[in-house]
Short mmCIF file of all heavy atoms in Angstrom, two decimals:
data_model
loop_
_atom_site.label_atom_id
_atom_site.label_comp_id
_atom_site.label_asym_id
_atom_site.label_seq_id
_atom_site.Cartn_x
_atom_site.Cartn_y
_atom_site.Cartn_z
N VAL A 12 127.34 -7.04 -175.70
CA VAL A 12 126.44 -6.03 -176.27
C VAL A 12 126.71 -5.87 -177.77
O VAL A 12 125.80 -5.69 -178.57
CB VAL A 12 126.58 -4.69 -175.51
CG1 VAL A 12 125.63 -3.64 -176.07
CG2 VAL A 12 126.34 -4.90 -174.02
N ILE A 15 124.82 -8.50 -179.35
CA ILE A 15 123.38 -8.18 -179.36
C ILE A 15 123.08 -7.22 -180.52
O ILE A 15 122.11 -7.38 -181.27
CB ILE A 15 122.96 -7.54 -178.01
CG1 ILE A 15 123.05 -8.57 -176.89
CG2 ILE A 15 121.57 -6.93 -178.10
CD1 ILE A 15 122.95 -7.95 -175.49
N GLU A 54 109.63 -6.34 -165.48
CA GLU A 54 110.15 -6.87 -166.75
C GLU A 54 110.14 -8.39 -166.80
O GLU A 54 110.70 -9.06 -165.93
CB GLU A 54 111.57 -6.37 -166.96
CG GLU A 54 112.17 -6.77 -168.30
CD GLU A 54 113.31 -5.86 -168.70
OE1 GLU A 54 113.03 -4.77 -169.23
OE2 GLU A 54 114.47 -6.20 -168.46
N LYS A 56 111.85 -11.11 -168.19
CA LYS A 56 113.23 -11.19 -168.71
C LYS A 56 113.74 -12.61 -168.45
O LYS A 56 114.36 -12.87 -167.40
CB LYS A 56 114.05 -10.14 -167.93
CG LYS A 56 115.49 -9.99 -168.31
CD LYS A 56 116.13 -8.90 -167.43
CE LYS A 56 117.54 -8.62 -167.82
NZ LYS A 56 118.21 -7.63 -166.93
N SER A 59 119.58 -13.15 -169.51
CA SER A 59 120.31 -11.99 -170.04
C SER A 59 121.79 -12.29 -169.97
O SER A 59 122.19 -13.24 -169.29
CB SER A 59 119.99 -10.72 -169.24
OG SER A 59 120.83 -10.63 -168.11
N PRO A 60 122.61 -11.48 -170.63
CA PRO A 60 124.05 -11.73 -170.55
C PRO A 60 124.60 -11.60 -169.13
O PRO A 60 125.68 -12.11 -168.85
CB PRO A 60 124.64 -10.64 -171.46
CG PRO A 60 123.55 -10.29 -172.40
CD PRO A 60 122.28 -10.43 -171.61
N THR A 61 123.89 -10.91 -168.23
CA THR A 61 124.43 -10.72 -166.88
C THR A 61 123.71 -11.53 -165.81
O THR A 61 123.91 -11.30 -164.62
CB THR A 61 124.41 -9.22 -166.48
OG1 THR A 61 123.06 -8.76 -166.55
CG2 THR A 61 125.29 -8.39 -167.41
N PHE A 94 118.30 -12.89 -174.71
CA PHE A 94 117.40 -12.64 -173.58
C PHE A 94 116.25 -13.65 -173.51
O PHE A 94 115.40 -13.55 -172.63
CB PHE A 94 116.82 -11.21 -173.67
CG PHE A 94 117.85 -10.13 -173.46
CD1 PHE A 94 118.62 -9.68 -174.52
CD2 PHE A 94 118.10 -9.60 -172.20
CE1 PHE A 94 119.60 -8.69 -174.34
CE2 PHE A 94 119.06 -8.62 -172.00
CZ PHE A 94 119.83 -8.17 -173.08
N LYS A 115 110.64 -4.56 -175.20
CA LYS A 115 112.05 -4.35 -174.87
C LYS A 115 112.89 -5.11 -175.87
O LYS A 115 112.94 -6.34 -175.87
CB LYS A 115 112.28 -4.89 -173.45
CG LYS A 115 113.53 -4.40 -172.79
CD LYS A 115 113.26 -3.02 -172.22
CE LYS A 115 114.51 -2.34 -171.72
NZ LYS A 115 115.22 -3.09 -170.70
N PHE A 117 116.03 -4.34 -179.32
CA PHE A 117 117.11 -3.50 -179.81
C PHE A 117 116.75 -3.10 -181.24
O PHE A 117 117.37 -3.54 -182.21
CB PHE A 117 118.44 -4.26 -179.70
CG PHE A 117 118.73 -4.64 -178.26
CD1 PHE A 117 118.17 -5.77 -177.69
CD2 PHE A 117 119.49 -3.80 -177.46
CE1 PHE A 117 118.38 -6.08 -176.35
CE2 PHE A 117 119.72 -4.10 -176.12
CZ PHE A 117 119.17 -5.25 -175.58
N ASN A 181 119.28 4.71 -168.19
CA ASN A 181 119.74 3.36 -167.88
C ASN A 181 120.98 3.43 -166.99
O ASN A 181 122.01 3.98 -167.37
CB ASN A 181 120.06 2.60 -169.18
CG ASN A 181 120.19 1.10 -168.93
OD1 ASN A 181 120.17 0.64 -167.78
ND2 ASN A 181 120.30 0.33 -170.00
N ARG A 183 122.71 0.98 -166.32
CA ARG A 183 123.68 -0.01 -166.84
C ARG A 183 124.44 0.61 -168.01
O ARG A 183 123.82 1.04 -168.99
CB ARG A 183 122.96 -1.29 -167.27
CG ARG A 183 123.89 -2.37 -167.79
CD ARG A 183 123.18 -3.70 -168.03
NE ARG A 183 122.88 -4.39 -166.80
CZ ARG A 183 121.65 -4.58 -166.31
NH1 ARG A 183 120.60 -4.13 -166.97
NH2 ARG A 183 121.47 -5.22 -165.18
N LEU A 185 126.23 0.22 -171.18
CA LEU A 185 126.29 -0.84 -172.19
C LEU A 185 127.71 -1.00 -172.75
O LEU A 185 127.99 -1.94 -173.48
CB LEU A 185 125.29 -0.58 -173.31
CG LEU A 185 123.82 -0.57 -172.86
CD1 LEU A 185 122.90 -0.29 -174.03
CD2 LEU A 185 123.43 -1.87 -172.17
N LEU A 188 128.92 -2.87 -169.05
CA LEU A 188 127.90 -3.63 -168.34
C LEU A 188 127.91 -3.38 -166.83
O LEU A 188 127.25 -4.10 -166.08
CB LEU A 188 127.96 -5.14 -168.66
CG LEU A 188 127.56 -5.51 -170.09
CD1 LEU A 188 127.54 -7.03 -170.29
CD2 LEU A 188 126.19 -4.94 -170.45
N GLU A 211 116.05 3.02 -164.98
CA GLU A 211 116.18 1.65 -165.50
C GLU A 211 117.44 0.97 -164.97
O GLU A 211 118.52 1.57 -164.94
CB GLU A 211 116.34 1.67 -167.02
CG GLU A 211 115.17 2.20 -167.81
CD GLU A 211 115.49 2.16 -169.32
OE1 GLU A 211 116.35 1.36 -169.73
OE2 GLU A 211 114.90 2.95 -170.04
N SER A 212 117.29 -0.28 -164.62
CA SER A 212 118.39 -1.20 -164.29
C SER A 212 118.99 -0.99 -162.90
O SER A 212 119.15 0.14 -162.44
CB SER A 212 119.55 -1.13 -165.29
OG SER A 212 119.12 -1.39 -166.59
N GLY A 213 119.31 -2.12 -162.29
CA GLY A 213 120.07 -2.10 -161.04
C GLY A 213 119.25 -1.83 -159.80
O GLY A 213 119.82 -1.74 -158.71
N LEU A 232 111.99 0.80 -163.83
CA LEU A 232 111.93 -0.40 -164.64
C LEU A 232 112.83 -1.46 -163.98
O LEU A 232 114.02 -1.23 -163.82
CB LEU A 232 112.40 -0.12 -166.06
CG LEU A 232 112.11 -1.21 -167.10
CD1 LEU A 232 112.12 -0.61 -168.48
CD2 LEU A 232 113.10 -2.34 -167.04
N VAL A 233 112.21 -2.57 -163.55
CA VAL A 233 112.95 -3.57 -162.77
C VAL A 233 112.81 -4.94 -163.42
O VAL A 233 111.70 -5.42 -163.63
CB VAL A 233 112.44 -3.62 -161.32
CG1 VAL A 233 113.31 -4.57 -160.49
CG2 VAL A 233 112.40 -2.24 -160.68
N GLY A 234 113.96 -5.55 -163.72
CA GLY A 234 113.96 -6.89 -164.31
C GLY A 234 114.44 -7.94 -163.32
O GLY A 234 113.65 -8.64 -162.68
N THR A 235 115.75 -8.03 -163.17
CA THR A 235 116.38 -9.12 -162.42
C THR A 235 115.80 -9.29 -161.01
O THR A 235 115.49 -10.42 -160.61
CB THR A 235 117.90 -8.85 -162.33
OG1 THR A 235 118.38 -8.55 -163.65
CG2 THR A 235 118.64 -10.05 -161.78
O1 LIG B 301 120.43 -7.01 -168.42
C1 LIG B 301 121.45 -7.27 -169.07
O2 LIG B 301 122.25 -8.17 -168.76
C2 LIG B 301 121.77 -6.50 -170.31
C3 LIG B 301 122.95 -6.77 -170.97
C4 LIG B 301 123.25 -6.10 -172.13
C5 LIG B 301 122.38 -5.15 -172.64
C6 LIG B 301 121.19 -4.88 -171.99
C7 LIG B 301 120.89 -5.54 -170.83
N1 LIG B 301 119.71 -5.31 -170.16
C8 LIG B 301 118.62 -4.59 -170.71
C9 LIG B 301 117.90 -3.79 -169.72
O3 LIG B 301 117.67 -2.65 -170.03
C10 LIG B 301 117.42 -4.39 -168.45
O4 LIG B 301 116.83 -5.61 -168.73
C11 LIG B 301 116.41 -3.55 -167.67
O5 LIG B 301 116.80 -2.24 -167.56
C12 LIG B 301 116.23 -4.16 -166.28
O6 LIG B 301 117.47 -4.19 -165.60
P1 LIG B 301 117.65 -5.03 -164.26
O7 LIG B 301 116.57 -4.61 -163.32
O8 LIG B 301 119.01 -4.64 -163.76
O9 LIG B 301 117.55 -6.45 -164.64
#
Side-chain angles (χ1 to χ4, degrees):
V12 181
I15 292 168
E54 184 158 278
K56 182 180 184 183
S59 86
T61 59
F94 292 85
K115 198 81 189 302
F117 300 83
N181 195 352
R183 181 172 286 111
L185 298 180
L188 291 185
E211 296 180 23
S212 303
L232 193 158
V233 185
T235 311

